[in-house]
Amino acid sequence: MVLLNKIKRNHHPKGNKTMETLTLKKAIEDSGKISLGNTKMPSTTFAISAKHCKVGGKLVNVKGSTCSRCYALKLQKLRPSVDKGWTNNLFKAEKMISTNPKLWAKMVAFQIVRGCNKLGINEHRWFDSGDLQSVAMLRAIILCAEITPNIRHWLPTREAKLVKDYRKQYGNEPTNLVIRVSATMISDKPIAGHVNTSTVHRAGEEIHGKECLAYRTNKDAKVVDKVTFKAMTRPEKKIQDFGHCGDCRACWNPTVHNVSYPLH
């Protein structure tokens, strides 16, 4: 709550010398919406349109790539309201970042801290849909991470070159932000040149680093063993409601160098 009040006090609208109290409505209208609605993930999230992915926009048409089964694009096609919301987030973010990145960082930080306080958590995920658009966007995200030191941020990305360009220009990101550079192809090894990465493996293939067990972690945070999971029928799996992070926070942990996600 102390951090939330500090962010509100430090809000000065551009061109206005009078201090204005930052409100949730104002933050969402100007910077885009931080979501609290991903019940399977123990974090607040920020999503933008997957239709505007740079590297991902090419990979989606490559058979065997980690983007070839993009769930976000499917969801945007099926649900126009989701498509509209994520597209609005992208346009609002890009517009404000281009003119006042520090203010954008403060507005999203305000939403993240407020959301984490409400949910009783300390984690935030960037881009459960979409990806980095520019070095400027990554810089703005890092400004947000810097003013929320008690929040652990996770940023998965396929924009490896963009991340390298940022580090060359600005140096390393703060320790409370884990940037995981994702492999571009299913079954690939972790991409070289980055401390934190992620991969996708098929059943029976080598697992690099920490395997994500969300696919057999149920709504009660219990990890069901492989034998039991394989023996379950589809209706039984539906009742268990698998796909939760449970107690795992590996994706946010900088000491976990690679997280490997099973193909499903």
Side-chain angles (χ1 to χ4, degrees):
M1 188 59 70
V2 173
L3 179 58
L4 186 63
N5 290 334
K6 183 178 180 181
I7 293 171
K8 292 175 73 174
R9 287 196 305 269
N10 290 340
H11 171 58
H12 294 263
K14 191 175 181 181
N16 188 345
K17 294 181 181 179
T18 303
M19 185 178 294
E20 178 182 304
T21 300
L22 181 59
T23 65
L24 180 61
K25 181 179 179 181
K26 177 68 173 174
I28 292 173
E29 285 179 350
D30 291 355
S31 64
K33 185 177 182 179
I34 297 296
S35 175
L36 283 63
N38 192 332
T39 57
K40 294 193 175 186
M41 190 166 292
S43 68
T44 55
T45 60
F46 183 71
I48 62 175
S49 173
K51 295 177 182 179
H52 293 77
C53 289
K54 307 294 185 182
V55 172
K58 299 175 181 178
L59 290 175
V60 72
N61 298 311
V62 177
K63 185 178 180 180
S65 78
T66 51
C67 294
S68 59
R69 301 186 180 191
C70 181
Y71 70 90
L73 285 175
K74 293 177 182 177
L75 189 56
Q76 284 185 254
K77 185 177 181 179
L78 289 171
R79 298 179 62 183
S81 62
V82 171
D83 179 50
K84 182 180 179 180
W86 290 353
T87 301
N88 284 341
N89 276 354
L90 169 64
F91 292 160
K92 289 177 181 180
E94 287 198 309
K95 181 180 179 180
M96 182 170 280
I97 288 170
S98 69
T99 58
N100 198 337
K102 289 185 178 180
L103 181 56
W104 182 84
K106 288 178 181 179
M107 286 189 166
V108 292
F110 169 74
Q111 293 185 65
I112 291 169
V113 173
R114 185 181 182 277
C116 285
N117 286 343
K118 185 175 181 179
L119 298 174
I121 57 174
N122 294 296
E123 286 82 23
H124 173 73
R125 174 181 174 172
W126 295 96
F127 306 127
D128 46 335
S129 168
D131 205 341
L132 288 168
Q133 300 293 298
S134 62
V135 169
M137 180 174 279
L138 178 54
R139 179 58 185 159
I141 287 172
I142 286 173
L143 289 174
C144 174
E146 288 175 345
I147 60 176
T148 54
N150 297 324
I151 305 295
R152 297 200 297 175
H153 297 252
W154 162 38
L155 195 166
T157 182
R158 287 172 180 79
E159 300 293 337
K161 182 179 183 303
L162 193 155
V163 173
K164 283 189 175 181
D165 288 346
Y166 173 89
R167 290 169 176 160
K168 184 177 180 180
Q169 183 175 352
Y170 293 100
N172 290 333
E173 59 274 16
T175 57
N176 65 320
L177 170 62
V178 173
I179 300 176
R180 287 199 180 276
V181 179
S182 308
T184 56
M185 300 297 291
I186 297 167
S187 305
D188 267 3
K189 295 179 180 180
I191 191 166
H194 297 273
V195 174
N196 297 112
T197 55
S198 67
T199 51
V200 177
H201 65 271
R202 292 184 172 89
E205 291 182 338
E206 179 183 0
I207 296 170
H208 301 281
K210 166 71 176 176
E211 180 184 20
C212 175
L213 301 179
Y215 75 100
R216 50 188 175 92
T217 303
N218 66 20
K219 58 187 176 183
D220 298 318
K222 179 182 178 181
V223 181
V224 175
D225 66 86
K226 285 185 178 181
V227 175
T228 302
F229 180 79
K230 288 181 179 180
M232 283 183 169
T233 63
R234 182 171 293 182
E236 287 174 333
K237 290 179 180 178
K238 188 175 182 179
I239 292 172
Q240 292 281 332
D241 188 24
F242 290 109
H244 291 259
C245 291
D247 298 324
C248 181
R249 301 292 182 272
C251 295
W252 288 269
N253 189 340
T255 67
V256 178
H257 297 303
N258 189 75
V259 177
S260 189
Y261 303 101
L263 181 66
H264 57 84

